[in-house]
Amino acid sequence: MNKPLRHGYTTGACAAAAAKGAALMLVRQTEVAEVTIDLPAGVSATFPLHGQRFATHEASCFVVKDAGDDPDVTNGAELHARVAFIPAPPHSSTGENGIVIEGGTGVGKATKPGLAVGPGEWAINPVPRRMIEQAVREAIHDAQFTLKDSPFTIHHSRFTTKDAPPTLHVTISIPDGELRAQKTLNARLGIVGGLSILGTTGIVRPLSAKAWTDTIDAALDVARACGCPNVVLSTGRTSELAAQHHLNRAAAPVTALPEEAFVMMGDHVAYSLQSCARRGFLQPLVACQFAKLLKIACGHENTHAAASELDLSTLQGWAGEAGLPEAITATIAPANTAREIVIAANFDPSLLELVCGHAITAAQRHAPDLRPQFLVADYDGAIAFHGRIAGL
């Protein structure tokens, strides 16, 4: 019997838990071993705390992210929170409850428009930010003070005031966040210096594709906000590099596609095409190698080997109906892979045009308003074929 897969928790949930733990220690002036927070998914979760430190005016701790059985670059990362009472800085943007939330080491900053946070802001998305605020409010509730419009006293603390309300300054950091971010698409999206604090439910579902599809949506939002006239979807880095060289090598600087126009979709073909349609990119280019192209042409929504089966017999039927040369059709029946076929056919244009035509038809079943073009990459880093729809 297969063992059920474990779910995990988002960086946003871990950051909120760490912030609550630090706030509790600041309020109580004693060590706290674990905290329980409510998640947007409608359930609660308990997190053990590590590295607890507290003093009169500040406290800190961290939560180790457990992504469950989901392969996640942030699994095992330490989400640190420092909570401190500070004078409100001039012209600061505080939360409605007098809480300032900032990033520290290993948390990225946005540099491009189109993301959930604006350029120059810490990459702490709105839902995690609300979770952190809620967690800190819960921690200070028992202290019997209000952070706005009233004096307060902290139990078991020497810090008191009868004048201006305090500002709670929350700093979230990830010590190795910048290193981990190098394994993500953050830099492409315009998030520099570290990881993002993410999550809309607080829970990471094992082996889910949501993290990837969220990144696709974010990349397309950035492309639109940056004014890109079109986008190039690619199934992998090799195809993307080939497409960049092919499209920009002869283009004048004013017409060359910017970095933001290139979106790594991986195997999520149907989702990416539909996401393009929702954002008005109705003539996307799709860069891929022949095996992925054939899977797309066969109508598979996802081109991963585990999610679709390559049907070479379908290709053989298409080739026969189209009357392709015998030299090409003869290579299909005995072949074991699509790569073997296209190499044997020497990337014959008639073969590539045939499969591109079926790929366009299949793409329009996923997103009827689209008129995509396909760029087929060879195995030497170049585009072997640029399929075009009539009139484009």
Side-chain angles (χ1 to χ4, degrees), residues 40-361:
V43 298
S44 61
T46 299
F47 297 81
L49 303 178
H50 307 274
Q52 296 95 324
R53 296 182 179 181
F54 61 90
T56 302
H57 297 82
E58 70 175 57
S60 62
C61 62
F62 67 87
V63 168
V64 178
K65 178 177 175 179
D66 179 3
D69 289 323
D70 195 65
D72 190 319
V73 70
T74 62
N75 186 47
E78 297 179 0
L79 277 293
H80 288 243
R82 172 183 174 270
V83 178
F85 289 111
I86 61 169
H91 311 298
S92 65
S93 176
T94 64
E96 63 178 16
N97 295 286
I99 300 172
V100 177
I101 300 173
E102 294 187 346
T105 300
V107 174
K109 272 193 171 183
T111 62
K112 297 178 182 179
L115 297 168
V117 298
E121 295 183 13
W122 293 103
I124 303 175
N125 274 17
V127 172
R129 184 173 288 273
R130 291 195 295 270
M131 291 173 63
I132 293 168
E133 287 190 5
Q134 177 182 334
V136 171
R137 286 200 306 270
E138 291 173 356
I140 63 178
H141 178 73
D142 291 338
Q144 298 177 357
F145 72 84
T146 304
L147 286 175
K148 189 175 183 181
D149 299 329
S150 71
F152 67 94
T153 299
I154 303 294
H155 291 304
H156 312 301
S157 173
R158 296 189 299 276
F159 183 83
T160 62
T161 183
K162 296 181 180 179
D163 301 316
T167 296
L168 275 179
H169 193 278
V170 182
T171 305
I172 304 298
S173 59
I174 307 171
D176 62 349
E178 189 166 8
L179 182 63
R180 289 176 182 264
Q182 295 174 8
K183 301 177 182 178
T184 73
L185 295 177
N186 275 15
R188 174 73 60 82
L189 297 178
I191 298 171
V192 300
L195 294 168
S196 306
I197 306 300
L198 302 172
T200 56
T201 65
I203 295 176
V204 175
R205 299 296 179 186
L207 303 178
S208 72
K210 193 174 188 308
W212 193 289
T213 55
D214 283 350
T215 300
I216 292 169
D217 286 339
L220 290 170
D221 286 339
V222 168
R224 184 174 59 178
C226 290
C228 296
N230 200 4
V231 293
V232 182
L233 307 174
S234 60
T235 56
R237 184 58 175 155
T238 299
S239 298
E240 182 180 69
L241 287 172
Q244 288 175 330
H245 179 69
H246 173 77
L247 294 170
N248 291 342
R249 63 183 175 181
V254 70
T255 59
L257 288 173
E259 178 188 47
E260 293 82 10
F262 293 85
V263 176
M264 188 78 70
M265 70 173 177
D267 294 305
H268 302 283
V269 176
Y271 185 94
S272 300
L273 294 172
Q274 292 161 359
S275 190
C276 280
R278 289 192 295 269
R279 289 162 175 80
F281 292 115
L282 300 182
Q283 298 177 1
L285 292 97
V286 180
C288 58
Q289 293 180 335
F290 184 73
K292 297 289 187 181
L293 176 69
L294 183 54
K295 289 184 179 183
I296 295 170
C298 287
H300 298 297
E301 295 187 358
N302 187 299
T303 60
H304 191 275
S308 61
E309 182 177 351
L310 190 60
D311 194 347
L312 298 184
S313 64
T314 297
L315 175 60
Q316 187 170 21
W318 291 340
E321 292 171 3
L324 292 189
E326 174 66 21
I328 296 176
T329 58
T331 67
I332 299 175
N336 294 314
T337 66
R339 175 172 177 156
E340 180 182 346
I341 293 169
V342 76
I343 290 177
N346 197 28
F347 289 88
D348 186 276
S350 63
L351 172 65
L352 298 177
E353 185 174 0
L354 171 67
V355 181
C356 280
H358 284 282
I360 291 170
T361 300

